[in-house]
Amino acid sequence: MMGVFTKKLTLPTPDEALVGRPDPIATAADHYVFHCPLTAPAADTHEEAVFAMGCFWGVERLFWELPGVVNTAAGYAGGYTPNPTYKEVCSGQTGHTEVVRVVYDPAVISYVDLLRVFWENHDPTQGMRQGNDTGTQYRSAIYYDSGRKQLEAEQSNQQFNAELQEKGFGSTTTELLPAGAFYFAEEEHQQYLAKNPNGYCGLKGTGVSCPINFGVGVA
């Protein structure tokens, strides 16, 4: 997806990162699939999750198709540059990775369910790439917004890591950090595969099932 851009495999320091801009870049007003305001805050009865699994086009479709998910958006997170553009993120000079914001109804689908989908639908052992897509913007990441979600994410990582190694894979390289700023990507990236059904999708799991054998309740 990013062949025309420089492939950078090390993250910049805050001092090295691009300056960015004070105002958000333009994005879509409405969700192309759900027909709701794209940037609306989650309702009081809903929760949010932010995942990075490689190219955000296929990742976003994966989550909007799940029962209980009510809004999704492609964006950038995990770096330093405020309000970055797609081209800036692809340069490797912002520190961000391509992410998807998932708004969901926990009465229908739990955070643990979302974690299982996350782990089983990409290869979290690849470091700064996902398949043929290479660069810091393709690293695997979970950005959590509560202590309970941190615990669930960390425990699921430990359990899936053990499953992967038993099947001959390496250790997970997934970044697990508190959620920082989420920056909405440009309009053309929002719900890309709904607008372009034959477009590029780099998602590919390992074929390993994620157990998540703990009962900490619904997030």
Side-chain angles (χ1 to χ4, degrees), residues 1-41:
M1 177 179 163
M2 307 292 191
V4 297
F5 298 106
T6 301
K7 296 177 179 178
K8 185 171 172 57
L9 300 180
T10 57
L11 290 169
T13 65
D15 290 340
E16 294 170 337
L18 298 175
V19 175
R21 53 201 51 77
D23 299 317
I25 61 173
T27 190
D30 297 315
H31 195 285
Y32 189 81
V33 176
F34 292 131
H35 308 293
C36 64
L38 184 78
T39 62

Short mmCIF file of all heavy atoms in Angstrom, two decimals, residues 1-41:
data_model
loop_
_atom_site.label_atom_id
_atom_site.label_comp_id
_atom_site.label_asym_id
_atom_site.label_seq_id
_atom_site.Cartn_x
_atom_site.Cartn_y
_atom_site.Cartn_z
N MET A 1 0.81 -1.21 0.00
CA MET A 1 0.00 0.00 0.00
C MET A 1 0.85 1.26 0.00
O MET A 1 0.47 2.28 -0.52
CB MET A 1 -0.89 -0.02 1.25
CG MET A 1 -1.77 1.20 1.45
SD MET A 1 -2.74 0.95 2.96
CE MET A 1 -3.24 2.61 3.28
N MET A 2 2.04 1.20 0.58
CA MET A 2 2.85 2.39 0.75
C MET A 2 4.16 2.36 -0.05
O MET A 2 5.12 2.99 0.33
CB MET A 2 3.21 2.58 2.23
CG MET A 2 2.04 2.57 3.16
SD MET A 2 1.02 4.00 2.92
CE MET A 2 -0.03 3.86 4.35
N GLY A 3 4.20 1.61 -1.12
CA GLY A 3 5.44 1.40 -1.82
C GLY A 3 6.14 2.66 -2.28
O GLY A 3 7.34 2.71 -2.46
N VAL A 4 5.37 3.75 -2.48
CA VAL A 4 5.98 4.98 -2.97
C VAL A 4 6.63 5.77 -1.86
O VAL A 4 7.30 6.77 -2.13
CB VAL A 4 4.91 5.86 -3.66
CG1 VAL A 4 4.36 5.16 -4.88
CG2 VAL A 4 3.80 6.24 -2.71
N PHE A 5 6.46 5.37 -0.62
CA PHE A 5 7.02 6.11 0.49
C PHE A 5 8.24 5.40 1.07
O PHE A 5 8.41 4.20 0.94
CB PHE A 5 5.98 6.28 1.60
CG PHE A 5 4.77 7.06 1.16
CD1 PHE A 5 3.56 6.42 0.91
CD2 PHE A 5 4.85 8.42 0.97
CE1 PHE A 5 2.46 7.14 0.50
CE2 PHE A 5 3.75 9.15 0.56
CZ PHE A 5 2.55 8.51 0.33
N THR A 6 9.09 6.17 1.71
CA THR A 6 10.25 5.62 2.38
C THR A 6 9.80 4.69 3.51
O THR A 6 8.91 5.02 4.29
CB THR A 6 11.11 6.75 2.97
OG1 THR A 6 11.52 7.61 1.91
CG2 THR A 6 12.33 6.18 3.66
N LYS A 7 10.42 3.53 3.60
CA LYS A 7 10.08 2.57 4.63
C LYS A 7 11.03 2.75 5.80
O LYS A 7 12.20 2.43 5.72
CB LYS A 7 10.17 1.15 4.07
CG LYS A 7 9.14 0.87 2.97
CD LYS A 7 9.30 -0.52 2.40
CE LYS A 7 8.26 -0.80 1.32
NZ LYS A 7 8.41 -2.12 0.71
N LYS A 8 10.51 3.29 6.89
CA LYS A 8 11.32 3.56 8.07
C LYS A 8 10.96 2.54 9.15
O LYS A 8 9.79 2.34 9.44
CB LYS A 8 11.06 4.98 8.56
CG LYS A 8 11.95 5.42 9.71
CD LYS A 8 11.78 6.89 9.97
CE LYS A 8 12.49 7.33 11.24
NZ LYS A 8 13.91 7.03 11.24
N LEU A 9 11.97 1.90 9.73
CA LEU A 9 11.74 0.81 10.66
C LEU A 9 12.07 1.15 12.11
O LEU A 9 11.99 0.29 12.98
CB LEU A 9 12.54 -0.41 10.21
CG LEU A 9 12.20 -0.95 8.82
CD1 LEU A 9 13.05 -2.16 8.50
CD2 LEU A 9 10.72 -1.29 8.71
N THR A 10 12.46 2.40 12.38
CA THR A 10 12.72 2.83 13.75
C THR A 10 11.88 4.07 14.05
O THR A 10 11.71 4.93 13.19
CB THR A 10 14.21 3.15 13.97
OG1 THR A 10 14.63 4.15 13.03
CG2 THR A 10 15.07 1.90 13.80
N LEU A 11 11.38 4.13 15.26
CA LEU A 11 10.54 5.26 15.64
C LEU A 11 11.39 6.51 15.90
O LEU A 11 12.49 6.42 16.45
CB LEU A 11 9.75 4.92 16.89
CG LEU A 11 8.64 3.87 16.71
CD1 LEU A 11 8.12 3.42 18.07
CD2 LEU A 11 7.52 4.43 15.86
N PRO A 12 10.87 7.67 15.55
CA PRO A 12 11.60 8.90 15.86
C PRO A 12 11.49 9.24 17.34
O PRO A 12 10.58 8.76 18.04
CB PRO A 12 10.86 9.95 15.01
CG PRO A 12 9.45 9.45 14.97
CD PRO A 12 9.58 7.94 14.89
N THR A 13 12.38 10.04 17.83
CA THR A 13 12.24 10.60 19.17
C THR A 13 11.29 11.79 19.09
O THR A 13 11.02 12.30 17.99
CB THR A 13 13.59 11.06 19.72
OG1 THR A 13 14.05 12.15 18.91
CG2 THR A 13 14.63 9.93 19.68
N PRO A 14 10.79 12.26 20.22
CA PRO A 14 9.93 13.45 20.17
C PRO A 14 10.60 14.64 19.48
O PRO A 14 9.95 15.39 18.75
CB PRO A 14 9.65 13.74 21.65
CG PRO A 14 9.74 12.40 22.30
CD PRO A 14 10.84 11.68 21.58
N ASP A 15 11.89 14.79 19.70
CA ASP A 15 12.61 15.91 19.08
C ASP A 15 12.76 15.74 17.57
O ASP A 15 12.88 16.72 16.84
CB ASP A 15 14.00 16.07 19.71
CG ASP A 15 13.93 16.58 21.14
OD1 ASP A 15 12.88 17.15 21.52
OD2 ASP A 15 14.92 16.40 21.88
N GLU A 16 12.77 14.50 17.11
CA GLU A 16 12.92 14.23 15.68
C GLU A 16 11.60 14.28 14.92
O GLU A 16 11.58 14.39 13.70
CB GLU A 16 13.55 12.85 15.47
CG GLU A 16 14.98 12.74 15.97
CD GLU A 16 15.48 11.30 15.96
OE1 GLU A 16 14.63 10.37 16.00
OE2 GLU A 16 16.71 11.09 15.94
N ALA A 17 10.48 14.16 15.64
CA ALA A 17 9.18 14.06 14.99
C ALA A 17 8.79 15.36 14.29
O ALA A 17 9.21 16.46 14.68
CB ALA A 17 8.11 13.69 16.02
N LEU A 18 7.97 15.22 13.25
CA LEU A 18 7.46 16.37 12.52
C LEU A 18 6.61 17.25 13.44
O LEU A 18 5.97 16.77 14.37
CB LEU A 18 6.64 15.92 11.32
CG LEU A 18 7.40 15.11 10.26
CD1 LEU A 18 6.45 14.62 9.18
CD2 LEU A 18 8.52 15.94 9.65
N VAL A 19 6.59 18.53 13.14
CA VAL A 19 5.92 19.50 14.00
C VAL A 19 4.40 19.35 13.96
O VAL A 19 3.73 19.51 14.97
CB VAL A 19 6.32 20.93 13.60
CG1 VAL A 19 5.53 21.95 14.41
CG2 VAL A 19 7.81 21.14 13.79
N GLY A 20 3.85 19.03 12.80
CA GLY A 20 2.41 18.90 12.69
C GLY A 20 1.71 20.23 12.61
O GLY A 20 2.28 21.23 12.14
N ARG A 21 0.50 20.30 13.14
CA ARG A 21 -0.31 21.51 13.03
C ARG A 21 -1.29 21.58 14.20
O ARG A 21 -1.65 20.55 14.77
CB ARG A 21 -1.06 21.53 11.70
CG ARG A 21 -1.86 20.26 11.48
CD ARG A 21 -2.21 20.00 10.02
NE ARG A 21 -1.09 20.06 9.11
CZ ARG A 21 -0.18 19.07 8.98
NH1 ARG A 21 -0.26 17.96 9.73
NH2 ARG A 21 0.81 19.20 8.14
N PRO A 22 -1.76 22.76 14.55
CA PRO A 22 -2.65 22.88 15.71
C PRO A 22 -4.08 22.44 15.45
O PRO A 22 -4.80 22.08 16.40
CB PRO A 22 -2.60 24.37 16.05
CG PRO A 22 -2.25 25.04 14.74
CD PRO A 22 -1.34 24.08 14.04
N ASP A 23 -4.53 22.46 14.20
CA ASP A 23 -5.92 22.16 13.89
C ASP A 23 -6.06 20.80 13.21
O ASP A 23 -5.19 20.37 12.45
CB ASP A 23 -6.51 23.23 12.97
CG ASP A 23 -6.49 24.61 13.61
OD1 ASP A 23 -6.83 24.69 14.81
OD2 ASP A 23 -6.13 25.59 12.92
N PRO A 24 -7.17 20.10 13.47
CA PRO A 24 -7.40 18.80 12.82
C PRO A 24 -7.44 18.93 11.30
O PRO A 24 -7.89 19.94 10.76
CB PRO A 24 -8.76 18.37 13.37
CG PRO A 24 -8.94 19.15 14.62
CD PRO A 24 -8.26 20.46 14.40
N ILE A 25 -6.98 17.88 10.61
CA ILE A 25 -7.10 17.86 9.17
C ILE A 25 -8.55 17.50 8.81
O ILE A 25 -9.30 16.99 9.63
CB ILE A 25 -6.13 16.83 8.54
CG1 ILE A 25 -6.44 15.41 9.03
CG2 ILE A 25 -4.68 17.21 8.85
CD1 ILE A 25 -5.63 14.34 8.34
N ALA A 26 -8.95 17.80 7.60
CA ALA A 26 -10.32 17.54 7.17
C ALA A 26 -10.57 16.04 7.08
O ALA A 26 -9.72 15.28 6.63
CB ALA A 26 -10.58 18.19 5.82
N THR A 27 -11.74 15.62 7.52
CA THR A 27 -12.14 14.22 7.43
C THR A 27 -13.60 14.16 7.00
O THR A 27 -14.22 15.19 6.72
CB THR A 27 -11.91 13.47 8.76
OG1 THR A 27 -12.07 12.07 8.56
CG2 THR A 27 -12.84 13.95 9.85
N ALA A 28 -14.16 12.96 6.94
CA ALA A 28 -15.55 12.80 6.52
C ALA A 28 -16.50 13.31 7.62
O ALA A 28 -16.20 13.20 8.81
CB ALA A 28 -15.85 11.34 6.21
N ALA A 29 -17.63 13.82 7.19
CA ALA A 29 -18.64 14.25 8.16
C ALA A 29 -19.41 13.05 8.72
O ALA A 29 -19.68 12.98 9.92
CB ALA A 29 -19.61 15.24 7.51
N ASP A 30 -19.76 12.10 7.84
CA ASP A 30 -20.58 10.97 8.23
C ASP A 30 -19.91 9.64 7.88
O ASP A 30 -19.10 9.56 6.96
CB ASP A 30 -21.94 11.02 7.55
CG ASP A 30 -22.75 12.24 7.96
OD1 ASP A 30 -22.81 12.52 9.17
OD2 ASP A 30 -23.31 12.90 7.07
N HIS A 31 -20.29 8.61 8.62
CA HIS A 31 -19.80 7.25 8.36
C HIS A 31 -20.52 6.70 7.13
O HIS A 31 -21.75 6.72 7.05
CB HIS A 31 -20.10 6.38 9.58
CG HIS A 31 -19.36 5.09 9.62
ND1 HIS A 31 -19.69 4.02 8.81
CD2 HIS A 31 -18.30 4.69 10.37
CE1 HIS A 31 -18.87 3.00 9.08
NE2 HIS A 31 -18.01 3.39 10.01
N TYR A 32 -19.76 6.22 6.19
CA TYR A 32 -20.31 5.76 4.90
C TYR A 32 -21.21 4.54 5.05
O TYR A 32 -22.14 4.35 4.26
CB TYR A 32 -19.15 5.45 3.95
CG TYR A 32 -19.56 5.16 2.53
CD1 TYR A 32 -19.82 6.19 1.64
CD2 TYR A 32 -19.66 3.85 2.07
CE1 TYR A 32 -20.20 5.93 0.32
CE2 TYR A 32 -20.04 3.57 0.77
CZ TYR A 32 -20.29 4.61 -0.10
OH TYR A 32 -20.67 4.35 -1.41
N VAL A 33 -20.96 3.72 6.07
CA VAL A 33 -21.74 2.49 6.29
C VAL A 33 -22.86 2.72 7.29
O VAL A 33 -24.01 2.35 7.06
CB VAL A 33 -20.82 1.34 6.76
CG1 VAL A 33 -21.64 0.09 7.10
CG2 VAL A 33 -19.77 1.03 5.70
N PHE A 34 -22.55 3.34 8.43
CA PHE A 34 -23.52 3.50 9.50
C PHE A 34 -24.38 4.75 9.37
O PHE A 34 -25.39 4.89 10.07
CB PHE A 34 -22.81 3.51 10.86
CG PHE A 34 -22.20 2.20 11.25
CD1 PHE A 34 -20.89 2.13 11.71
CD2 PHE A 34 -22.93 1.02 11.17
CE1 PHE A 34 -20.32 0.92 12.09
CE2 PHE A 34 -22.37 -0.19 11.54
CZ PHE A 34 -21.07 -0.24 11.99
N HIS A 35 -23.95 5.69 8.52
CA HIS A 35 -24.71 6.94 8.29
C HIS A 35 -24.94 7.71 9.60
O HIS A 35 -26.03 8.20 9.86
CB HIS A 35 -26.05 6.63 7.60
CG HIS A 35 -25.90 5.81 6.37
ND1 HIS A 35 -25.28 6.28 5.22
CD2 HIS A 35 -26.27 4.53 6.10
CE1 HIS A 35 -25.29 5.34 4.30
NE2 HIS A 35 -25.87 4.25 4.81
N CYS A 36 -23.89 7.78 10.38
CA CYS A 36 -23.91 8.56 11.61
C CYS A 36 -22.72 9.51 11.59
O CYS A 36 -21.79 9.31 10.80
CB CYS A 36 -23.85 7.64 12.83
SG CYS A 36 -22.30 6.70 12.96
N PRO A 37 -22.71 10.55 12.42
CA PRO A 37 -21.56 11.46 12.45
C PRO A 37 -20.27 10.70 12.78
O PRO A 37 -20.20 10.02 13.81
CB PRO A 37 -21.93 12.46 13.54
CG PRO A 37 -23.42 12.45 13.57
CD PRO A 37 -23.80 11.01 13.30
N LEU A 38 -19.28 10.83 11.93
CA LEU A 38 -18.05 10.05 12.08
C LEU A 38 -17.31 10.38 13.36
O LEU A 38 -16.80 9.50 14.04
CB LEU A 38 -17.13 10.27 10.88
CG LEU A 38 -15.86 9.42 10.87
CD1 LEU A 38 -16.18 8.00 10.42
CD2 LEU A 38 -14.80 10.03 9.97
N THR A 39 -17.23 11.66 13.70
CA THR A 39 -16.38 12.10 14.81
C THR A 39 -17.15 12.27 16.12
O THR A 39 -16.59 12.77 17.10
CB THR A 39 -15.70 13.43 14.46
OG1 THR A 39 -16.70 14.44 14.26
CG2 THR A 39 -14.86 13.29 13.18
N ALA A 40 -18.40 11.83 16.15
CA ALA A 40 -19.21 12.01 17.36
C ALA A 40 -18.61 11.25 18.53
O ALA A 40 -18.11 10.13 18.37
CB ALA A 40 -20.63 11.52 17.11
N PRO A 41 -18.65 11.83 19.72
CA PRO A 41 -18.18 11.10 20.90
C PRO A 41 -19.09 9.91 21.17
O PRO A 41 -20.26 9.89 20.77
CB PRO A 41 -18.27 12.14 22.03
CG PRO A 41 -19.26 13.14 21.54
CD PRO A 41 -19.12 13.19 20.05
#
